[in-house]
Amino acid sequence: MFRALIFCLSILSVSISCPAEEQEPLKPKPIQVEASDWPWWRGPARNGIADSSQNPPLQWSATENILWKSPIQGRGYSSPTVVGNRIFLASADTENETQFVLCYDRETGKQLWKTVVFTGGLSKKGNKKSTHASSTVACDGTKVYINFINNGAAYTSALSLEGRLIWQTKITDYIIHQGYGSSPAIYQDLVIVSADNKGGGAVAALNRATGMVVWKIDRPATANYPSPIILEVAGKEQVLMTGCNLVTGIAPLTGKKLWEIEGATTECVTSTVTNGELILTSGGYPKNHIAAVKADGSGEVVWENSNRMYVPSMLIQDNKIYSVTDNGVAVCWDVKTGKEIWKGRLGGTFSSSPVLVDDRIYVTNEAGETYIFKASPKEFELLGENKLGTEVFATPTFCDSRIYMRVSQEGDGKRQEMLYCIGRK
């Protein structure tokens, strides 16, 4: 009954919180995550690069190098978030019309709790590949944050580590086109979120303790799908947004636009990466497009091409770009010139993003086939190929030489998602 009241109140106001006796101080607690955690989308540095000291396996199957597996209720493409002894996932049950967050024990895979954030209000529109839980949870060590589209609006919700709903804030009205998958980004006292859509979206920063809006920027009325990514480039940390025919750099604490140029096509999905001087943008509608842009305020486009990296995000290491096209070609480019160094055929269609671990890149296609190849500018070198399940859209998470993977298995007309922990036995 309490959550039903919260939902009704959130329709009428910008932000709701717990009763006065349960409210927390206005000043958020310090971020408390460890180097061995994977606290938000694209990992600790927000660039898809894992701790290089890890040594995850090169081989696995349904029976080999599986430390544990646990069933996932509902359906979603939210990637595993790992902090402390907990793993968090967002999911949704279309039959019961619920959107919820799940928490698992990191060592055993036992489900610890499930918190329903919304009941009802699910749209029937969207791409067949989309889900009602495609946003990845962010965790600051004291709370978890998740974005959902519900009842025609984008909401960010904060839960305690024990699953108690603390606050919920409406970001903007939202018209579903293909779907929604933007993930929250934690920065100092803020959680930064975005919700671009055909009705006119927004990028906003919320106080982590209260959910109150600290700053908010209106966005053009076009469909668009990236998450806000905060990276240090051109000597300063910036919130980087691509799409809506724009590339934008924003000061994370104030919301001030540092620079903005036309570019990056209308609809983008990938999260941008940087070598500290250039940021990489890519889009897939209305045309395929990759560009290297200076983020020093000039917005100069240094180079561009027409390759299709629409969904999988790219990686940068030692001024080399490593990526996988949507149709399964691994590519290495020089980040400064855009010159192609090599390419190699993998197989299948890719929606999951690659992850770099030391000198190895792991990437999984939609059929559950994971390819491992070397991050080397010399040549394409395939190191391994593994199959698990029948469908994978979520990007795997790498912590302590273990791989946490969200996998779907279909058989006898039924579909079941599983959370796997892959590691050396």
Side-chain angles (χ1 to χ4, degrees):
M1 182 175 179
F2 177 63
R3 286 199 184 93
L5 176 60
I6 281 181
F7 175 73
C8 294
L9 287 174
S10 66
I11 300 299
L12 300 175
S13 63
V14 174
S15 177
I16 59 92
S17 301
C18 294
E21 66 271 18
E22 297 181 14
Q23 288 186 6
E24 299 190 10
L26 295 180
K27 180 71 174 176
K29 295 179 181 178
I31 296 171
Q32 301 172 23
V33 297
E34 302 295 333
S36 59
D37 294 333
W38 193 272
W40 39 65
W41 169 239
R42 299 226 81 197
R46 313 177 204 272
N47 58 4
I49 299 177
D51 181 357
S52 62
S53 65
Q54 296 188 61
N55 187 28
L58 292 172
Q59 292 182 312
W60 63 83
S61 67
T63 56
E64 180 186 8
N65 282 331
I66 303 298
L67 301 183
W68 53 257
K69 63 179 181 179
S70 187
I72 300 172
Q73 301 174 53
R75 178 174 185 159
Y77 298 151
S78 168
S79 294
T81 295
V82 182
V83 174
N85 63 350
R86 296 175 172 91
I87 302 172
F88 305 98
L89 285 172
S91 197
D93 186 331
T94 53
E95 185 176 340
N96 295 319
E97 285 206 57
T98 54
Q99 293 166 298
F100 46 90
V101 175
L102 298 164
C103 178
Y104 297 84
D105 183 275
R106 182 172 178 170
E107 289 302 314
T108 66
K110 178 184 177 181
Q111 183 178 314
L112 301 177
W113 52 259
K114 169 187 174 182
T115 296
V116 175
V117 178
F118 287 107
T119 299
L122 302 188
S123 172
K124 300 189 182 302
K125 297 179 180 180
N127 189 291
K128 65 179 181 180
K129 290 185 178 181
S130 68
T131 75
H132 294 288
S134 297
S135 172
T136 292
V137 172
C139 179
D140 59 10
T142 59
K143 297 185 189 69
V144 295
Y145 307 88
I146 186 61
N147 297 338
F148 285 121
I149 301 299
N150 190 274
N151 200 36
Y155 292 89
T156 301
S157 303
L159 287 73
S160 72
L161 297 183
E162 290 71 40
R164 177 175 59 86
L165 185 63
I166 297 172
W167 57 254
Q168 188 173 90
T169 300
K170 177 182 174 180
I171 307 304
T172 181
D173 292 334
Y174 194 93
I175 297 173
I176 287 189
H177 177 51
Q178 302 284 3
Y180 177 79
S182 178
S183 299
I186 294 170
Y187 182 81
Q188 294 189 23
D189 289 350
L190 306 175
V191 54
I192 299 173
V193 296
S194 66
D196 290 339
N197 69 98
K198 287 189 171 183
V203 181
L206 314 177
N207 181 291
R208 288 193 288 115
T210 65
M212 298 302 295
V213 176
V214 176
W215 58 259
K216 185 174 179 179
I217 298 173
D218 292 333
R219 297 276 287 172
T222 62
N224 191 38
Y225 309 103
S227 302
I229 289 292
I230 305 156
L231 298 171
E232 183 173 336
V233 57
K236 64 182 70 174
E237 291 183 304
Q238 303 183 41
V239 179
L240 300 167
M241 289 293 299
T242 63
C244 300
N245 302 307
L246 299 170
V247 187
T248 309
I250 303 167
L253 290 179
T254 65
K256 177 185 176 182
K257 285 186 184 180
L258 302 173
W259 58 276
E260 187 170 72
I261 63 169
E262 294 183 0
T265 72
T266 304
E267 295 183 21
C268 298
V269 177
T270 66
S271 298
T272 194
V273 289
T274 183
N275 69 340
E277 299 174 2
L278 305 173
I279 63 167
L280 274 294
T281 74
S282 63
Y285 181 84
K287 66 177 182 178
N288 298 329
H289 171 86
I290 297 175
V293 179
K294 286 187 177 180
D296 58 0
S298 69
E300 177 187 345
V301 178
V302 177
W303 58 261
E304 58 186 318
N305 63 43
S306 58
N307 283 275
R308 185 175 177 83
M309 269 72 174
Y310 186 26
V311 182
S313 297
M314 293 176 268
L315 298 164
I316 292 182
Q317 186 184 53
D318 298 330
N319 280 316
K320 299 298 182 290
I321 302 167
Y322 299 96
S323 190
V324 176
T325 64
D326 291 43
N327 63 354
V329 177
V331 186
C332 176
W333 288 299
D334 184 281
V335 70
K336 293 184 177 180
T337 65
K339 179 183 177 182
E340 183 183 295
I341 299 172
W342 55 252
K343 64 170 57 174
R345 168 62 64 179
L346 301 178
T349 301
F350 287 77
S351 289
S352 174
S353 293
V355 177
L356 175 65
V357 186
D358 194 17
D359 63 348
R360 291 169 285 173
I361 294 172
Y362 293 70
V363 64
T364 307
N365 68 18
E366 293 178 4
E369 297 164 330
T370 299
Y371 295 88
I372 308 165
F373 60 94
K374 199 148 190 178
S376 168
K378 295 180 179 180
E379 61 182 356
F380 172 68
E381 181 182 351
L382 188 65
L383 302 174
E385 182 178 341
N386 306 283
K387 168 78 171 173
L388 191 62
T390 56
E391 182 183 78
V392 174
F393 281 82
T395 299
T397 293
F398 291 74
C399 298
D400 285 341
S401 298
R402 295 180 174 185
I403 307 169
Y404 299 95
M405 184 176 288
R406 184 177 195 154
V407 174
S408 297
Q409 183 71 48
E410 295 193 25
D412 299 325
K414 296 181 179 180
R415 181 183 186 279
Q416 176 63 56
E417 290 192 0
M418 302 292 293
L419 176 61
Y420 280 89
C421 178
I422 302 166
R424 302 177 190 275
K425 291 190 174 180

